[in-house]
Amino acid sequence: MIRDLRPSDIPRQLLPGRLAGSDLAFTRASIARPKHSFNLLELSRWSFPPTTAQHAFASVRKTDLNGVAVVRPRNGRRAWELAHLVCADGTMDDASDLLEYCAGWVSEQGCERLFLRVPHGHPIARAARRAGFMPAYAEDVHGLQRAWPPAAGEPTLHLRLATAADAHGIFRLYNSVVPASIRPLTGLTLEQWQDANEAPGGSVAEYVSEDVGRLRAWLRIAKKGQALTLDAVAHHDTAPLAAGLVADASRLAGGRLQPQWVVPTHQDAIGRVLRDQGWTPRQSYSVFVRMVAKPIKEPALVPVQA
């Protein structure tokens, strides 16, 4: 049985056969952390009454708690994500049912796309496929085991802070880089794409580089405590542009210990530049998307007068 997670489910974690395992769903804010803890405190926090910010579900069989899922909207109502997903070992069928239930529930909230990011190669990917999730793209998190020195010389791309007026230009840049097979999954219109944007957490700064009235690069730098995480989009993903982008990023954020850079597979020129400079891939993730059909209420039939 799948239903809302309740505070009364907490004692189930004190019984034999309690739900054990790692949290398998990664959001943009947690992508740089290789391990997700799951414990009684986490379960208690998720079992609070649902809000517009998140909703939690439980898969229950007799006295056992077989799975927990937490969904939340991304940047707008059209796009939601699995913020947390914990499944008992050997219960991938239950995981598929739980994911299917989540898709049905968010559909009723007006959602069009439900996102799920999981460790690359994990068996949960098969459960996601059975629940109708389609693979969109993969990501590698590159890290540097030392301080990141600022590049010498003058800036290459002359990055400036992005403004609200750059939204359409960033969307056009994104469409010029992302493969056509991915676009329908992540959002075809500006509004869909904006709703699907992820919040990286912490203090965030975005930069763009402009050339003859069109954007050719976008960079985001997120700082949270001592952690520094970056991601970027480079037009056509060419080696010179990628190298200039990484160099300019080091001038803006260099000097921090052990920075991390999230690189999707369709931006591998950035990944190659990072690896050439001593960065190493630390974690890999697969991003899945479930296209959710919004329910359409049929208008009541009324008699037509002649």
Side-chain angles (χ1 to χ4, degrees):
M1 177 177 65
I2 299 174
R3 53 163 174 74
D4 287 1
L5 182 68
R6 306 166 183 165
S8 59
D9 290 317
I10 298 174
R12 296 175 186 270
Q13 281 297 95
L14 304 176
L15 299 173
R18 62 184 179 273
L19 179 60
S22 300
D23 190 347
L24 298 175
F26 286 76
T27 64
R28 181 61 184 78
S30 66
I31 192 173
R33 299 200 303 268
K35 291 185 179 180
H36 267 43
S37 63
F38 172 68
N39 50 47
L40 194 61
L41 179 61
E42 289 290 289
L43 183 66
S44 302
R45 185 166 59 87
W46 300 342
S47 67
F48 288 161
T51 66
T52 56
Q54 70 175 32
H55 203 106
F57 303 98
S59 175
V60 180
R61 184 175 297 174
K62 296 181 179 179
T63 61
D64 293 341
L65 190 62
N66 283 340
V68 174
V70 180
V71 296
R72 70 183 185 192
R74 280 192 167 182
N75 195 46
R77 63 179 181 83
R78 297 178 183 86
W80 287 59
E81 67 185 357
L82 269 296
H84 303 282
L85 178 64
V86 184
C87 302
D89 294 337
T91 59
M92 290 299 105
D93 288 341
D94 289 341
S96 292
D97 293 341
L98 184 56
L99 290 170
E100 182 68 42
Y101 190 93
C102 290
W105 188 88
V106 298
S107 172
E108 296 175 354
Q109 315 311 307
C111 173
E112 297 175 3
R113 291 166 173 81
L114 178 60
F115 290 80
L116 170 65
R117 178 186 283 107
V118 299
H120 185 68
H122 195 280
I124 192 65
R126 294 196 296 271
R129 289 174 183 267
R130 287 197 297 269
F133 284 77
M134 294 177 285
Y137 56 91
E139 297 169 318
D140 292 321
V141 179
H142 289 68
L144 195 62
Q145 296 290 358
R146 51 180 170 78
W148 189 20
E154 295 296 320
T156 303
L157 303 184
H158 303 288
L159 293 164
R160 62 168 174 80
L161 283 169
T163 68
D166 291 314
H168 191 266
I170 297 172
F171 177 58
R172 290 180 63 186
L173 172 65
Y174 168 84
N175 278 332
S176 73
V177 169
V178 174
S181 59
I182 296 178
R183 284 179 231 146
L185 296 176
T186 55
L188 286 171
T189 68
L190 175 63
E191 292 76 16
Q192 291 171 339
W193 173 77
Q194 287 179 319
D195 279 7
N197 283 342
E198 299 182 82
S203 174
V204 179
E206 296 186 32
Y207 301 86
V208 293
S209 175
E210 196 169 4
D211 183 31
V212 195
R214 297 192 66 169
L215 300 186
R216 59 175 175 166
W218 167 86
L219 171 71
R220 179 168 60 184
I221 301 174
K223 300 175 183 178
K224 187 174 184 179
Q226 296 300 312
L228 176 72
T229 307
L230 305 93
D231 54 346
V233 175
H235 184 61
H236 292 322
D237 200 25
T238 59
L241 185 57
L245 182 58
V246 172
D248 285 359
S250 74
R251 296 183 181 99
L252 292 168
R256 299 291 289 254
L257 292 173
Q258 300 186 1
Q260 300 186 96
W261 197 307
V262 182
V263 183
T265 49
H266 50 268
Q267 287 276 273
D268 191 51
I270 294 175
R272 288 194 298 271
V273 171
L274 293 174
R275 292 189 291 272
D276 288 344
Q277 296 183 8
W279 298 60
T280 56
R282 291 181 175 175
Q283 299 97 35
S284 296
Y285 299 94
S286 297
V287 177
F288 290 82
V289 183
R290 167 71 189 266
M291 304 298 290
V292 181
K294 294 189 296 184
I296 299 175
K297 296 181 179 180
E298 183 178 356
L301 296 176
V302 295
V304 178
Q305 295 181 354

